[in-house]
Amino acid sequence: MEAKNENELVITRTINGPRDLIFKAFTEAEHLKHWWGPVGFELKVITLDVREGGTFHYSMKDAKGQETFGLFKYKKINAPESIEFTNGFADKDGNLIKNAFLPVFPLEVYNIWKFTEENGKTILSLRGTPYNASAEEEKAFADMHAGMNQGFGGTFDQLETYLKTL
């Protein structure tokens, strides 16, 4: 899958498992808490309402106890084929905030996640594009592609490990 533009993040990963299960792993708190987020972080689901207009508000705590919050705002759900949403950093109350580590990062990113089943496995394709972002924010997003690829790689490794326990 190729990027539509230079600022778009595109990741494709084949996951060993049927699409319905993988979709549930992305949309149910009982699954998400076991694998979502960077390696070494503990996820706490604050709110999860997977529907058009719904939100996913969560916290992630690292080994030192540093807590970061995130927020998804769901735009389109076509279960079990796709999810469209914006996401960004948030405060404990679910308000979007700038990334404390990289303030020039876009406040929100528009994401399209597609789940395609093939021979009992799921091909996950992710597309992320800065949403209502300045040129400087778009460049910061593009400059972070390698790090985001690495981060998602670790997250999806955790998903694969979790799926083996089911």
Side-chain angles (χ1 to χ4, degrees), residues 35-159:
W35 67 273
W36 178 255
V39 173
F41 282 70
E42 177 186 336
L43 179 81
K44 178 183 174 194
V45 176
I46 299 167
T47 304
L48 181 62
D49 182 11
V50 182
R51 64 175 173 83
E52 293 178 16
T55 61
F56 172 30
H57 181 215
Y58 58 92
S59 73
M60 297 181 295
K61 193 178 288 187
D62 68 17
K64 296 177 184 176
Q66 179 74 29
E67 193 169 28
T68 306
F69 297 87
L71 182 71
F72 288 21
K73 295 178 185 177
Y74 294 106
K75 305 297 183 189
K76 295 180 186 174
I77 308 288
N78 185 15
E81 296 168 8
S82 64
I83 303 171
E84 293 187 33
F85 63 97
T86 58
N87 77 298
F89 288 87
D91 63 19
K92 64 179 179 57
D93 298 317
N95 301 300
L96 287 171
I97 61 170
K98 284 300 224 173
N99 178 333
F101 309 106
L102 184 62
V104 73
F105 197 80
L107 187 62
E108 290 184 280
V109 175
Y110 196 94
N111 298 277
I112 300 172
W113 292 359
K114 293 190 178 183
F115 305 83
T116 307
E117 188 164 349
E118 202 170 281
N119 301 318
K121 295 184 179 189
T122 301
I123 300 167
L124 171 64
S125 62
L126 311 178
R127 289 183 174 274
T129 307
Y131 186 68
N132 292 329
S134 69
E136 184 181 29
E137 291 169 333
E138 288 183 6
K139 181 181 181 324
F141 183 82
D143 290 347
M144 290 296 298
H145 283 188
M148 289 185 284
N149 269 290
Q150 183 178 355
F152 274 113
T155 296
F156 296 145
D157 288 347
Q158 292 177 148
L159 171 59

Side-chain angles (χ1 to χ4, degrees), residues 21 30-31 34-35 158-166:
L21 174 61
E30 68 186 67
H31 295 302
H34 294 286
W35 67 273
Q158 292 177 148
L159 171 59
E160 295 265 14
T161 299
Y162 169 65
L163 291 171
K164 290 175 185 173
T165 69
L166 299 180

